[in-house]
Amino acid sequence: MRAEGVTWLPFASPGTRQGVGAVLAAVVSAYSAVVIVRLPTLTGLPPHELGVVLSGWACAYAVMVWTARRRGRVRRRFDGDAVALTAFALLVAMIGVAQLGPLVTGADPSEVAPAVRYSAPSADHPLGTDRFGRDVWARLVYGARASFAVCALSVALAMVIGTVFGALSGIAPRRVDDIMMRVVDGLLSFPRLLLILTAVALVPPGAGTLAVFIAATGWMGLARIVRGEVRRMRLREFVEAAVATGVATPRLLARHLMPNAVGAVVVAATLNAGTVILIESTLSFLGLGLAPPTPSWGGMVFEGRDALGSAWWVSAFPALAITAAVVALNMVGDGIRDALEVRSSTEV
């Protein structure tokens, strides 16, 4: 038996949590140091690049401040999961480096230098160069920006579509609900990757278009989750009491039903983010993702496939980045799911 509020993962000691907090603080400190050291460079950046850098610093600082606040049962449970906290710190570090792209690389990811093609990792090129002499480190950082941007936009769109469709289905009469769910079942029966391949073959995708395609084929599972949560909550006493007092359907959804489904939506979206990274990388590997010269992790793996024996770094580092991002997103999703579980005051 263990009491509520006690750390529920034995390896998540206070020392571990302090270590993860130190990592997050170090990321923010390094971020600030790079911005200060390269402050003259900021004046030469385009407005959108400058906005990305400054917003990235603000977000990193906000994350550090958030981690210093320990309030609420859900927060305590998440802090008790060392794996999820470590994965969260890794994600913050990766996104922070990606946001600092023009400041931490010092090289143009599209600059061709035939004289140094397939150069091994060195002081001038920390991760080596590819067949065109382009810096792999610079392309890895800018590829992270593209991958995370597509992931964020796709997951956000899928959340909106799936939540609205699922909520309407959950509150609708039985026949309408059956029709809406059969539509979802029909869409789920088609292979997702095949649908995306068909769409991108017809419309050359940019980052925004690719995110829309991925979201349009990935909202159905979220809709089923939301629909199940809404129908389950409709049977609760407080919802029946609200209906008895004459609460209108829109207000019933907004005030009583949807707040109780937020946890399930967040968990599903977080777990789906890793899948989005894999899909974007797969499409880029097949040449159907982001168009060159925009760097992407999947495209970098494809470009280095012919030189794995002599220039392994061209494919190895982006492949490791894909693996790290997907695993971290899944671990964070698992941590959020476990933290949101309804537990009794004592557990066996």
Side-chain angles (χ1 to χ4, degrees):
M1 306 286 286
R2 55 185 179 184
E4 178 68 33
V6 178
T7 299
W8 50 276
L9 286 180
F11 51 81
S13 63
T16 301
R17 294 194 295 273
Q18 292 174 2
V20 173
V23 170
L24 292 171
V27 169
V28 176
S29 300
Y31 203 121
S32 303
V34 171
V35 171
I36 293 172
V37 170
R38 297 204 173 185
L39 195 59
T41 309
L42 293 177
T43 58
L45 292 178
H48 68 280
E49 290 282 4
L50 180 61
V52 167
V53 171
L54 295 180
S55 63
W57 182 87
C59 291
Y61 183 77
V63 166
M64 187 183 71
V65 173
W66 180 80
T67 56
R69 301 167 64 89
R70 294 173 52 83
R71 295 181 179 178
R73 183 176 58 182
V74 172
R75 177 64 190 283
R76 290 196 302 270
R77 286 175 176 165
F78 186 81
D79 286 347
D81 191 337
V83 175
L85 274 177
T86 303
F88 180 70
L90 176 60
L91 275 179
V92 170
M94 294 180 71
I95 295 173
V97 170
Q99 293 284 353
L100 281 174
L103 299 181
V104 299
T105 59
D108 185 346
S110 301
E111 183 179 358
V112 176
V116 292
R117 64 189 303 268
Y118 286 140
S119 293
S122 62
D124 293 332
H125 304 284
L127 302 184
T129 61
D130 62 8
R131 60 176 177 168
F132 298 113
R134 297 173 299 189
D135 188 77
V136 173
W137 166 242
R139 293 182 62 77
L140 189 71
V141 171
Y142 278 83
R145 301 177 75 179
S147 294
F148 284 122
V150 171
C151 178
L153 181 56
S154 173
V155 170
L157 289 174
M159 285 179 63
V160 172
I161 299 172
T163 300
V164 171
F165 193 93
L168 293 178
S169 178
I171 202 70
R174 175 62 65 178
R175 289 191 176 182
V176 176
D177 173 49
D178 288 341
I179 293 174
M180 296 178 72
M181 284 299 102
R182 296 299 77 77
V183 171
V184 170
D185 292 339
L187 294 174
L188 286 172
S189 66
F190 289 96
R192 183 179 185 183
L193 189 57
L194 181 60
L195 289 175
I196 298 175
L197 288 174
T198 303
V200 298
L202 297 175
V203 181
T209 309
L210 185 61
V212 171
F213 290 157
I214 296 175
T217 58
W219 59 268
M220 292 81 74
L222 184 59
R224 294 187 68 89
I225 292 174
V226 173
R227 178 256 185 191
E229 288 294 316
V230 169
R231 297 200 73 86
R232 181 175 65 85
M233 295 305 300
R234 286 179 62 182
L235 303 177
R236 301 290 294 272
E237 291 81 359
F238 70 91
V239 176
E240 293 179 349
V243 173
T245 58
V247 174
T249 299
R251 183 178 177 84
L252 183 68
L253 274 174
R255 295 292 300 274
H256 300 282
L257 296 176
M258 289 309 301
N260 293 281
V262 169
V265 172
V266 172
V267 171
T270 307
L271 294 174
N272 187 48
T275 303
V276 172
I277 293 285
L278 286 176
I279 292 175
E280 187 275 328
S281 300
T282 300
L283 293 174
S284 297
F285 181 85
L286 296 175
L288 296 173
L290 299 178
T294 303
S296 65
W297 287 343
M300 294 175 66
V301 174
F302 177 79
E303 291 168 357
R305 74 195 188 286
D306 294 330
L308 288 176
S310 58
W312 53 268
W313 52 86
V314 179
S315 292
F317 289 118
L320 288 174
I322 294 171
T323 302
V326 172
V327 171
L329 285 168
N330 287 338
M331 292 301 99
V332 171
D334 287 342
I336 296 175
R337 180 193 60 198
D338 294 340
L340 289 172
E341 284 183 354
V342 178
R343 298 169 182 263
S344 60
S345 59
T346 59
E347 295 177 310
V348 179

